[in-house]
Amino acid sequence: YRVPDGYSRLAGAARLTPHGDRATPCDAQLFVENKLVWETKLKRIGVVEPFEIAVQPGQRLKLVVESASTAPLGNSVVWEGVRLLQ
């Protein structure tokens, strides 16, 4: 995703949610121009991990989730309230 003109920050949060009764820890990462600018380890179900980073118009954004386990169990990461701010 490219940042449109008029925006200077990206804010939101990430949260681990289960599919079943357990969830595997995950790493949630945010990249700007392929440079890692925010990372958190999501280990506990339902814990919200907020972020707010500086961005510039035209920069490329990428949100990534990677399992912290070689045998991941059912889970998902929810990106909440992700928005560009002026």
Side-chain angles (χ1 to χ4, degrees):
Y1 183 81
R2 286 203 184 267
V3 178
D5 289 339
Y7 295 96
S8 63
R9 296 177 310 176
L10 178 71
R15 154 176 80 83
L16 183 64
T17 61
H19 287 278
D21 60 353
R22 296 192 296 170
T24 304
C26 293
D27 296 328
Q29 303 169 328
L30 209 153
F31 292 83
V32 175
E33 293 296 328
N34 293 319
K35 179 182 175 189
L36 180 64
V37 296
W38 179 85
E39 179 176 29
T40 191
K41 304 234 182 262
L42 301 171
K43 296 178 183 176
R44 295 189 325 245
I45 296 168
V47 174
V48 176
E49 297 286 348
F51 62 85
E52 186 169 328
I53 61 163
V55 296
Q56 297 177 7
Q59 287 184 318
R60 291 175 292 163
L61 307 175
K62 180 169 64 171
L63 289 82
V64 176
V65 174
E66 294 184 353
S67 175
S69 171
T70 56
L73 299 172
N75 62 3
S76 61
V77 172
V78 176
W79 295 93
E80 296 182 333
V82 177
R83 63 212 175 274
L84 287 164
L85 306 169
Q86 297 181 339

